[in-house]
Amino acid sequence: MNVRLSAPIGILDEHPEWSARLIAELEHRRLPYEKIDHSNHGFDPRDRARRYSVIVNRTSPSSHRRGHGGVLFYAEALLAHWESLGVPVINPVRAYRFEKSKALQIGLFERLGINYPRTVVVNHRDQVLKASNELRFPILVKPSIGGSGALIERFDSRADLEARAGALDFGPDGVALVQEFVESRDGAIVRVEVLDDRYLYAIRIVRPASDFNLCPADICRLPEAPPRGDLGACPVEAKPGLQVTRYDAPPARGVDRRGRHRIPRRPRGRPCLLLRHQRHLEFRRQRPRGPGVRPVPVLRRLHRPRRDPLGRTL
């Protein structure tokens, strides 16, 4: 790739490992870059200089699980500042807002006519019991901003929910989803990754019944009591308890394939499609021969117009 950039590529990422392969590819291609750790950062809105040729936003909802909760909302203002200067942003503000908010994702699925579990969005613990009156047990209570299955709780009966309702943790923004639990056949989901509307690969993941962290390759799981300074770097091997195999996915019908698809199947009846919009690939640290993809497609698409989940040009 013979490209000359007048300014470096900015990589917005507070995690010490996730951008390692992208950075290695940039160095191999002798492209200038700067990694921006926005867990300890500041900017002046009066500074109108375009210091970057493009920004790659790797901000993750799981940041708060590594002690970096300050980036979740700060990233919106920072990205908006760069966008106002005309700097192209991969995973811009509008896409990032969908990524970090399950409540916004549910609204998007409803507008697109995509099947999803019956869900009520709440912002107070008193509303959890009220919402459960409209749902079938078992149900899940999950924070709108979670990350790696964090803080999701399952309740098999109303009595169990009543006993726990007052202590539920709604996460960083105080918003939660009360949602019917859809059990998949054999505890398996199918996960399809796409980039720029192009299919990349699909894998079948079998998980333990009590585990809601479905990251197969980079895990994103913290120990119960992480040592001081440990940011939970994601290992390469799949975490214990998950079985991951290749899957040849059929074409999705009537689905906007701009995010991550989870396709569980009930033991009987029609398939139930659960889709979670996600702006970046899950395989941040994959083996060279693993099912993940190299960072090259990102580089090849720097010049292409970006679109939000509804297809509008960003």
Side-chain angles (χ1 to χ4, degrees):
M1 179 185 291
N2 295 320
V3 176
R4 291 186 179 181
L5 300 178
S6 59
I9 297 171
I11 305 173
L12 192 66
D13 184 2
E14 45 74 40
H15 197 286
E17 301 290 341
W18 284 352
S19 294
R21 297 201 67 202
L22 175 59
I23 289 172
E25 190 69 28
L26 293 173
E27 291 178 343
H28 174 71
R29 293 164 181 263
R30 298 182 180 179
L31 292 172
Y33 70 89
E34 178 184 333
K35 183 172 179 179
I36 307 164
D37 182 357
H38 53 325
S39 66
N40 188 347
H41 191 268
F43 73 95
D44 186 344
R46 297 173 298 176
D47 182 359
R48 311 306 293 174
R50 293 183 56 169
R51 305 186 184 280
Y52 303 100
S53 59
V54 65
I55 293 292
V56 181
N57 176 26
R58 305 295 308 269
T59 309
S60 170
S62 64
S63 300
H64 70 102
R65 304 294 292 172
R66 295 185 293 278
H68 293 165
V71 310
L72 290 172
F73 303 102
Y74 176 75
E76 291 191 36
L78 183 57
L79 293 171
H81 171 67
W82 283 324
E83 290 179 33
S84 73
L85 301 178
V87 177
V89 176
I90 296 176
N91 304 324
V93 168
R94 280 179 284 186
Y96 170 65
R97 285 173 178 159
F98 277 99
E99 158 64 3
K100 78 178 192 321
S101 172
K102 293 184 179 71
L104 288 180
Q105 292 168 21
I106 288 294
L108 176 63
F109 304 158
E110 179 64 29
R111 295 195 297 277
L112 295 177
I114 296 174
N115 292 337
Y116 62 91
R118 179 79 171 87
T119 302
V120 179
V121 181
V122 302
N123 71 346
H124 195 283
R125 292 175 181 84
D126 291 347
Q127 293 296 315
V128 174
L129 290 174
K130 180 179 178 180
S132 69
N133 291 330
E134 305 176 26
L135 307 176
R136 294 179 300 176
F137 283 85
I139 65 171
L140 301 178
V141 178
K142 59 176 69 173
S144 182
I145 299 179
S148 305
L151 305 177
I152 297 178
E153 297 192 42
R154 170 177 169 165
F155 299 94
D156 293 321
S157 68
R158 184 174 178 83
D160 293 340
L161 180 61
E162 289 175 345
R164 175 66 181 159
L168 291 170
D169 189 342
F170 283 7
D173 66 346
V175 176
L177 277 61
V178 186
Q179 187 175 82
E180 291 183 357
F181 177 70
V182 178
E183 184 59 80
S184 56
R185 179 180 295 172
D186 301 324
I189 67 160
V190 172
R191 182 191 191 110
V192 182
E193 296 281 0
V194 298
L195 177 65
D196 230 13
D197 299 337
R198 293 182 59 187
Y199 169 85
L200 294 177
Y201 61 86
I203 53 177
R204 182 176 184 270
I205 305 171
V206 180
R207 62 170 180 82
S210 59
D211 190 359
F212 297 103
N213 182 2
L214 299 175
C215 295
D218 49 37
I219 300 179
C220 307
R221 176 187 295 277
L222 292 176
E224 292 298 325
R228 187 182 182 89
D230 181 2
L231 295 183
C234 296
V236 174
E237 298 294 338
K239 66 174 178 270
L242 285 188
Q243 301 176 26
V244 183
T245 56
R246 174 178 171 175
Y247 183 83
D248 295 320
R253 296 181 178 179
V255 175
D256 187 322
R257 295 178 61 174
R258 293 183 174 86
R260 179 176 64 191
H261 296 61
R262 295 176 179 175
I263 312 174
R265 293 179 178 272
R266 297 175 184 267
R268 301 180 182 85
R270 298 175 58 188
C272 178
L273 170 63
L274 313 184
L275 181 150
R276 173 184 169 185
H277 177 266
Q278 180 131 335
R279 325 106 35 251
H280 57 257
L281 300 178
E282 286 299 322
F283 285 89
R284 303 183 185 91
R285 293 187 61 210
Q286 68 275 18
R287 296 189 190 94
R289 296 191 181 186
V293 296
R294 299 175 66 229
V296 178
V298 175
L299 303 181
R300 291 177 179 169
R301 289 166 173 74
L302 294 181
H303 67 284
R304 294 191 180 183
R306 313 303 297 173
R307 291 178 172 82
D308 68 9
L310 293 176
R312 297 170 296 195
T313 301
L314 302 177

